[in-house]
């Protein structure tokens, strides 16, 4: 099983750390954020698979962050709040939350809900198709169309493209891309291999205009720019 990363956005330090301890298991990694600002930074810099999101944060509402996430991703989001009001639950679901839990709550109940969300997401699978005005990618069939014409992608290029499509609008650090693409010993991959793969993929996806949504974030990694993210 691959790495699974959970972002916990909760300003109560004890609760934030307690949640991570309660959910700890092999290959599950946690990123703790105590404010909206920290949550946004983690979202941009890490490859997040699930978010546990407190609504009442010192620098704003978790609803704002949920809106931002849903513009770019369908990953599972569970809302945490002290407000036991029906309108809060309705608002959360209308913005795309997957589940909702009210403080105080049992960590065993939280664990069960997280497991259910993860199972549901894994059954749904990773995106096997992506389509916009320029591209049509069908990963299961290994068919990739650019401006209506099929292009051939290597296994490495297919893995790299899937990472971009899974994380539209997010900066993907170089080391995380290497870990995800060269799963059988990424630590031995030459530092230049990722740059070569990304440049080849760019050229193949350029199409009639010669442009591609893959943007180099200097000093960090790469991003598939979200303005192209019409899945």
């Amino acid at each position: 099983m691959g790495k699974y990363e959970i972002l916990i956005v909760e300003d109560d330090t004890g609760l934030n750390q307690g949640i991570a301890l309660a959910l700890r298991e092999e290959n599950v990694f946690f990123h703790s954020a105590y404010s909206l600002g920290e949550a946004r930074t983690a979202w941009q810099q890490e490859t997040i698979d699930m978010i546990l999101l407190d609504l009442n944060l010192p620098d704003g509402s978790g609803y704002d962050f949920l809106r931002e996430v849903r513009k770019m991703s369908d990953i599972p989001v569970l809302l945490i709040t002290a407000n036991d009001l029906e309108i809060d639950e309705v608002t959360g679901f209308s913005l795309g939350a997957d589940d909702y839990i009210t403080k105080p709550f049992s960590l065993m109940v939280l664990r069960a809900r997280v497991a259910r969300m993860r199972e549901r997401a894994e059954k749904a699978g990773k995106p096997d198709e992506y389509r916009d005005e320029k591209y049509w990618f069908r990963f299961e069939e290994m068919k990739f169309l650019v401006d209506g014409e099929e292009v051939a992608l290597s296994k490495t290029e297919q893995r790299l493209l899937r990472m971009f499509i899974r994380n539209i609008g997010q900066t993907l650090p170089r080391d995380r891309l290497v870990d995800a693409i060269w799963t059988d010993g990424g630590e031995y991959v030459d530092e230049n291999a990722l740059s070569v793969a990304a440049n080849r993929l760019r050229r193949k996806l350029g199409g009639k205009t010669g442009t591609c949504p893959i943007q180099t974030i200097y000093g960090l990694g790469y991003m598939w720019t979200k303005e192209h993210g019409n899945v």
Side-chain angles (χ1 to χ4, degrees), residues 142 153-160 181:
M142 293 187 290
L153 301 183
S154 69
K155 292 290 186 182
T156 296
E157 291 160 354
Q158 290 179 40
R159 292 192 190 106
L160 181 57
I181 296 165

Side-chain angles (χ1 to χ4, degrees), residues 159 178-186:
R159 292 192 190 106
V178 168
D179 288 343
I181 296 165
W182 289 278
T183 55
D184 52 350

Side-chain angles (χ1 to χ4, degrees), residues 127-138:
D128 284 318
E129 185 169 312
Y130 171 92
R131 191 170 188 172
D132 64 18
E133 64 278 1
K134 180 171 182 172
Y135 300 115
W136 188 4
F137 305 143
R138 286 172 282 179

Side-chain angles (χ1 to χ4, degrees), residues 16 33 42 62 86 103 121 131 188 199 221:
N16 196 312
E86 187 176 272
K103 299 176 185 177
R131 191 170 188 172
Y188 302 112
N199 287 335

